[in-house]
């Protein structure tokens, strides 16, 4: 019985150690600083996409330049809050 448990344990360890080398490299190099930078870049990418989407959408909905500028300014200034 003990032999089967040892065999199962060694096979699980071999499976865990045989992952792809790129995954091992990434897993070892992911730090808190990396995650913080990733989320900051992600936030700005989403924010810019939202500004573009609002600008295109509001230009299709109204001809008033004041309403268009107001809508875009609301997104630019209130989204980070």
């Amino acid at each position: 019985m003990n032999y089967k448990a040892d065999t199962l344990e060694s096979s699980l360890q071999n499976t865990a150690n045989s992952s792809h080398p790129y995954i091992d490299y990434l897993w070892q190099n992911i730090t808190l600083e990396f995650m913080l930078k990733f989320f900051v870049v992600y936030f700005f990418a989403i924010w810019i996409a939202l500004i573009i989407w609002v600008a295109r959408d509001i230009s299709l909905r109204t001809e008033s330049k004041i309403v268009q500028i107001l809508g875009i300014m609301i997104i630019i200034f209130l989204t980070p809050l």
Side-chain angles (χ1 to χ4, degrees), residues 10-79:
S10 66
S11 67
L12 288 175
Q13 287 177 352
N14 288 338
T15 305
N17 292 334
S18 66
S19 64
H20 201 274
Y22 293 127
I23 294 172
D24 291 337
Y25 177 78
L26 285 174
W27 187 251
Q28 292 170 359
N29 291 318
I30 291 178
T31 62
L32 183 60
E33 180 183 1
F34 173 79
M35 294 300 291
L36 183 63
K37 288 178 182 179
F38 175 80
F39 285 119
V40 167
V41 169
Y42 181 75
F43 170 78
F44 280 107
I46 296 297
W47 188 27
I48 290 169
L50 182 63
I51 292 168
I52 293 169
W53 177 69
V54 166
R56 290 184 70 201
D57 186 56
I58 203 162
S59 67
L60 295 174
R61 292 177 184 263
T62 184
E63 295 293 322
S64 173
K65 294 294 181 189
I66 294 172
V67 174
Q68 291 177 2
I69 292 171
L70 181 64
I72 294 169
M73 290 298 144
I74 288 172
I75 294 300
I76 289 174
F77 293 117
L78 294 181
T79 300

